Amino acid sequence: MTNDKMHSSGGECVFELIRRHFEVRVLKILICDDEIKYVNDLKVHIEEYMKNRFIGFSIDTATDPEDVLKNKEAYDLVFLDIQMNETDGISLARELKLRNGKVVIFFVTSFNQYQDDAMDLRAFRFFEKPFDPNRLYAGLDKAMEYIDESYVDFFLQNDNSQHRVFVDEVRYIERQNRKVILYTNRNQYITSRKFEEWCELLPSSFFYQVHKSFLVNLHYVERYNYDELILTDGTNIPIASRKQADFHKYWFMYLRRR
């Protein structure tokens, strides 16, 4: 399996300078096809697309799906041939979704009979060989929109390094005096973004500001009392008295949508 990072023959590109200073997380891309011609063709077009849009990326390529299974890497974007020796693309896609539930999957194949199985995995696009570059670019446009909505980027207050997390993993945001703390399933971060900016940025369909100091992801609410929320990890979040009536209505609308 090979790995290629964004580069420029005319010297160090702008992205590399930014990445080194801010530790920007790049998109991890996988191409797996047992026909090396299609691997190379896809790689050229994906590199061109990403460079033209100044998107940081790294690409792994493989002609043997067993190599992908062994490396345990999680990817953001994958291109898989459905019918390969030993392990088929459908089985490989299931494994990759376990590593990253938000992975964007493109299937590339000459065999139409697998399309229903691919749709069961919520494949993003289905390309027939030989693939049409214009369709590929259109599919990548949609994939980038999806990825942008699935992740949130932010800078840390103390060292100005940039981080990225799934929106779904954000449990709540708390304002503590001059600090704004983002809590995820695994970590907490003191961010440089203002609390009000977080309230604007995160989707209002399941984030709610219940207090002047708390913005909560309702997916993590274990129990709702009229004046507080208890999250799945046991955290108690107060609901401001002036917000209780409005939140009560919103909570039951949220439950109906669920």
Side-chain angles (χ1 to χ4, degrees):
M1 184 147 57
T2 63
N3 179 277
D4 301 279
K5 290 192 175 180
M6 188 173 178
H7 63 279
S8 170
S9 58
E12 190 171 39
C13 68
V14 173
F15 173 76
E16 286 296 333
L17 292 171
I18 296 172
R19 183 192 61 79
R20 193 166 63 238
H21 185 68
F22 291 118
E23 299 180 10
V24 176
R25 180 186 184 280
V26 299
L27 280 179
K28 293 183 178 179
I29 303 170
L30 170 69
I31 305 170
C32 185
D33 192 314
D34 57 5
E35 296 181 75
I36 190 64
K37 175 187 183 302
Y38 290 111
V39 170
N40 292 335
D41 287 349
L42 266 173
K43 184 170 179 287
V44 167
H45 286 292
I46 294 168
E47 286 179 337
E48 180 180 4
Y49 177 94
M50 297 294 171
K51 290 176 183 178
N52 287 342
R53 289 155 181 81
F54 302 100
I55 299 171
F57 68 96
S58 66
I59 299 179
D60 286 352
T61 62
T63 53
D64 185 348
E66 292 298 318
D67 290 340
V68 179
L69 293 174
K70 290 174 185 174
N71 77 1
K72 303 300 180 182
E73 189 71 66
Y75 294 97
D76 302 299
L77 185 63
V78 300
F79 295 81
L80 304 177
D81 184 11
I82 286 185
Q83 191 170 64
M84 295 181 283
N85 294 328
E86 303 297 332
T87 302
D88 63 87
I90 298 293
S91 300
L92 182 56
R94 291 194 181 101
E95 167 61 25
L96 292 173
K97 281 187 76 72
L98 291 176
R99 301 179 190 179
N100 175 8
K102 297 288 186 180
V103 63
V104 174
I105 300 171
F106 288 85
F107 283 112
V108 185
T109 186
S110 304
F111 300 92
N112 291 331
Q113 67 264 34
Y114 296 98
Q115 196 159 356
D116 288 342
D117 290 333
M119 292 306 103
D120 288 342
L121 284 165
R122 297 183 181 180
F124 211 81
R125 285 288 188 278
F126 191 97
F127 295 121
E128 293 183 14
K129 294 179 180 177
F131 67 90
D132 178 354
N134 290 326
R135 282 197 68 218
L136 172 65
Y137 296 149
L140 283 170
D141 283 342
K142 293 293 184 184
M144 292 305 102
E145 290 177 14
Y146 170 80
I147 289 171
D148 284 345
E149 292 171 357
S150 300
Y151 292 92
V152 61
D153 293 284
F154 56 91
F155 291 93
L156 297 187
Q157 188 182 75
N158 59 345
D159 63 3
N160 214 28
S161 62
Q162 184 171 341
H163 292 258
R164 168 176 286 189
V165 297
F166 285 123
V167 170
D168 288 349
E169 288 190 353
V170 178
R171 288 176 169 269
Y172 64 99
I173 310 285
E174 180 182 10
R175 173 164 45 194
Q176 289 184 6
N177 300 317
R178 295 184 179 182
K179 293 180 181 178
V180 177
I181 307 171
L182 180 149
Y183 296 86
T184 70
N185 293 331
R186 285 167 280 193
N187 294 300
Q188 54 182 272
Y189 306 90
I190 300 175
T191 78
S192 61
R193 182 174 280 131
K194 294 179 180 178
F195 182 80
E196 292 78 11
E197 293 173 344
W198 280 113
C199 293
E200 290 290 327
L201 177 67
L202 294 171
S204 60
S205 55
F206 56 95
F207 279 89
Y208 197 96
Q209 185 186 353
V210 296
H211 187 280
K212 68 178 182 180
S213 299
F214 290 97
L215 177 68
V216 180
N217 183 341
L218 301 183
H219 294 346
Y220 290 100
V221 174
E222 178 77 21
R223 191 165 74 252
Y224 162 52
N225 299 327
Y226 197 73
D227 61 350
E228 70 173 353
L229 299 172
I230 295 89
L231 305 188
T232 53
D233 65 351
T235 301
N236 290 60
I237 305 289
I239 304 173
S241 56
R242 63 185 180 83
K243 291 180 174 286
Q244 289 171 3
D246 286 342
F247 178 74
H248 188 74
K249 296 174 186 175
Y250 183 91
W251 175 252
F252 285 101
M253 288 196 317
Y254 164 78
L255 292 180
R256 282 199 293 270
R257 291 198 307 271
R258 295 284 285 175

